Amino acid sequence: MKIVTIVFVILNLTGFLVLAIVNPLLDPLNFRVRKWINGNRRPGLRPLMILTHKYNDVLSLSVQLLVLALLIGFVLHNWSHAMVLTSVMFVQTTVVSVSKRLTSIDRPPQIASHVFMTSGSYPSGHSAASLSFALLVPTVLKPYLPLPVLIMIAVYLMAVALMTAYGRLYLDVHWLSDIFGGWFLATATYLLSRMLL
């Protein structure tokens, strides 16, 4: 089972790296999706999309992560799970930051953005962090909560992750390939975390 997990980690990391390398070849698809988003953007969703940006920003997600880790440590007395959760999210954020500098892929023109972003576009850190959080939290809490509660938490966090990914496109701050790159990284992060747990 461990070998299968390692294979899937390698496949996801390979997908992450390949997307970074072939990104210019994906321009037609990225522009087509951006055009569709621009043509179907509903103004009433804008406050929700901005909220997903702020809710999954580095500072906000760090606070959520810290509170959850402290609860797991002090209340559930499982500091190893708390450390795995915080450590892998920190490592993932570092990988995202380094990747943005190395790839230097330009962001979309940001005509619908609420804040102008100057860092590189690939990968989407918000998409990676929100999906990792959605996958990791139920896994870490699984031994302590009943199944119906875990399902509710998982559904809520997955809905937030999907809205966040759409929000990156809606707010015109990322390309579709950035979202998939973030998801590849998030999946690899989750699988590595399960091995550590």
Side-chain angles (χ1 to χ4, degrees):
M1 193 66 162
K2 198 172 186 178
I3 293 174
V4 173
T5 303
I6 291 170
V7 168
F8 277 108
V9 168
I10 291 169
L11 287 174
N12 277 282
L13 289 176
T14 302
F16 174 74
L17 292 171
V18 167
L19 268 180
I21 294 166
V22 303
N23 212 285
L25 301 175
L26 300 173
D27 281 351
L29 174 63
N30 283 330
F31 280 108
R32 197 173 307 123
V33 170
R34 181 174 180 265
K35 183 179 179 182
W36 184 86
I37 294 284
N38 286 339
N40 293 287
R41 186 179 286 116
R42 294 184 179 189
L45 288 177
R46 186 173 173 78
L48 178 62
M49 298 299 103
I50 292 172
L51 179 64
T52 63
H53 171 87
K54 292 179 179 176
Y55 184 71
N56 288 294
D57 212 351
V58 173
L59 180 59
S60 173
L61 201 59
S62 296
V63 170
Q64 294 173 60
L65 195 58
L66 180 61
V67 168
L68 183 60
L70 290 174
L71 283 172
I72 291 168
F74 284 118
V75 177
L76 303 176
H77 306 290
N78 193 334
W79 287 104
S80 64
H81 278 200
M83 280 304 294
V84 167
L85 184 63
T86 53
S87 300
V88 297
M89 291 297 287
F90 173 76
V91 169
Q92 178 183 272
T93 303
T94 304
V95 170
V96 166
S97 297
V98 170
S99 298
K100 285 179 181 290
R101 293 183 201 285
L102 290 176
T103 59
S104 298
I105 295 169
D106 292 331
R107 288 184 183 265
Q110 302 185 54
I111 58 169
S113 179
H114 67 293
V115 58
F116 189 76
M117 304 187 79
T118 56
S119 63
S121 189
Y122 185 85
S124 168
H126 284 77
S127 298
S130 61
L131 183 59
S132 289
F133 202 67
L135 295 171
L136 283 169
V137 170
T139 303
V140 169
L141 296 177
K142 186 178 180 181
Y144 308 103
L145 296 176
L147 185 60
V149 175
L150 278 173
I151 290 171
M152 287 191 303
I153 290 171
V155 167
Y156 167 73
L157 291 175
M158 195 56 73
V160 168
L162 292 173
M163 280 192 295
T164 299
Y166 177 71
R168 310 317 290 150
L169 301 171
Y170 178 99
L171 295 171
D172 203 31
V173 292
H174 277 291
W175 304 104
L176 181 64
S177 56
D178 302 336
I179 307 298
F180 282 110
W183 284 351
F184 275 130
L185 183 59
T187 305
T189 301
Y190 170 66
L191 292 171
L192 283 171
S193 302
R194 282 194 58 143
M195 289 172 63
L196 293 172
L197 293 170

